[in-house]
Amino acid sequence: MEIRRDKGGLNIRSNPIRVNIDTFEARNSIVPTTARSIQQQAQQGQQAAYQATAVVAQEGRMMMEAKIGQNVIPQLAAQQTMGQPAQSAISFIPSAQPELSWNGGEMSIRYEMDKLNFDWRMKDMAFTFVPGDIEFSVTQQPDVIIKYVGGPLYVPPSSDPDYEPVDVKA
């Protein structure tokens, strides 16, 4: 009889999940980078120039169309002093959300049992191999036994029949 064993084995390959969190825009909405700050200031300056041009054109038109006896200058002064309420651009909560993305993980487990190869060199012998199996029989649920080894507890302690007051002298 010749016995040959082919080893099997266990092969586990895992690639964990990868979570990508991009907080650039969220942080940039609170404290802008230098480049973003310059860009925002340039846009605000350009908008202020457009608004100033519109105001000057409107005031010039009012002065040109003024009639005798009409007080245009007090009207212009009143419009400028009754301007928009002050707005502050202070914020501590991001106005943009972080961008989340992920690459799913994977795990593969491959198990191969060992193999035994028998080569019988005899004539007219018949053998049958019956692989063994393992069985577990659960006959009862686990028990928890709690055993208190102390004496009875009396509340208040003076109700204990063996109570002796402690005499403390100062």
Side-chain angles (χ1 to χ4, degrees), residues 45-59:
Q46 189 176 18
Q47 187 175 2
Y50 287 147
Q51 287 176 350
T53 303
V55 168
V56 168
Q58 183 183 11
E59 289 176 357

Side-chain angles (χ1 to χ4, degrees), residues 30-76:
I30 296 173
V31 180
T33 61
T34 305
R36 179 73 58 97
S37 179
I38 291 171
Q39 182 183 20
Q40 289 173 351
Q41 294 296 326
Q43 286 176 350
Q44 289 174 357
Q46 189 176 18
Q47 187 175 2
Y50 287 147
Q51 287 176 350
T53 303
V55 168
V56 168
Q58 183 183 11
E59 289 176 357
R61 171 174 266 172
M62 284 179 71
M63 287 187 173
M64 286 179 59
E65 293 176 355
K67 296 186 176 143
I68 298 176
Q70 186 180 11
N71 292 331
V72 175
I73 295 177
Q75 282 180 337
L76 293 175

Side-chain angles (χ1 to χ4, degrees), residues 11-33:
N11 184 7
I12 300 175
R13 197 188 68 164
S14 69
N15 185 13
I17 188 170
R18 181 180 174 96
V19 177
N20 303 312
I21 303 173
D22 183 5
T23 59
F24 178 78
E25 289 300 326
R27 285 183 290 124
N28 205 15
S29 68
I30 296 173
V31 180
T33 61

Side-chain angles (χ1 to χ4, degrees), residues 9 32 54 77 125 127 140 151 161-162:
M125 293 190 90
F127 288 96
Q140 124 183 24
D162 300 327

Side-chain angles (χ1 to χ4, degrees), residues 27-168:
R27 285 183 290 124
N28 205 15
S29 68
I30 296 173
V31 180
T33 61
T34 305
R36 179 73 58 97
S37 179
I38 291 171
Q39 182 183 20
Q40 289 173 351
Q41 294 296 326
Q43 286 176 350
Q44 289 174 357
Q46 189 176 18
Q47 187 175 2
Y50 287 147
Q51 287 176 350
T53 303
V55 168
V56 168
Q58 183 183 11
E59 289 176 357
R61 171 174 266 172
M62 284 179 71
M63 287 187 173
M64 286 179 59
E65 293 176 355
K67 296 186 176 143
I68 298 176
Q70 186 180 11
N71 292 331
V72 175
I73 295 177
Q75 282 180 337
L76 293 175
Q79 282 180 356
Q80 288 179 357
T81 57
M82 289 179 37
Q84 302 292 329
Q87 296 178 1
S88 63
I90 298 174
S91 65
F92 298 102
I93 298 176
S95 60
Q97 296 179 350
E99 293 180 26
L100 300 173
S101 63
W102 61 86
N103 302 333
E106 68 178 52
M107 175 181 263
S108 64
I109 300 173
R110 202 185 84 195
Y111 175 71
E112 190 174 324
M113 291 179 29
D114 291 352
K115 294 179 184 172
L116 291 176
N117 298 312
F118 297 95
D119 189 13
W120 298 94
R121 303 201 184 258
M122 301 173 123
K123 291 186 179 186
D124 298 330
M125 293 190 90
F127 288 96
T128 304
F129 175 71
V130 178
D133 61 346
I134 299 173
E135 292 182 7
F136 291 100
S137 297
V138 178
T139 58
Q140 124 183 24
Q141 296 290 330
D143 291 335
V144 176
I145 300 172
I146 300 172
K147 185 176 180 182
Y148 179 69
V149 294
L153 299 174
Y154 293 95
V155 177
S158 61
S159 62
D160 185 353
D162 300 327
Y163 177 73
E164 294 180 20
V166 178
D167 198 16
V168 179

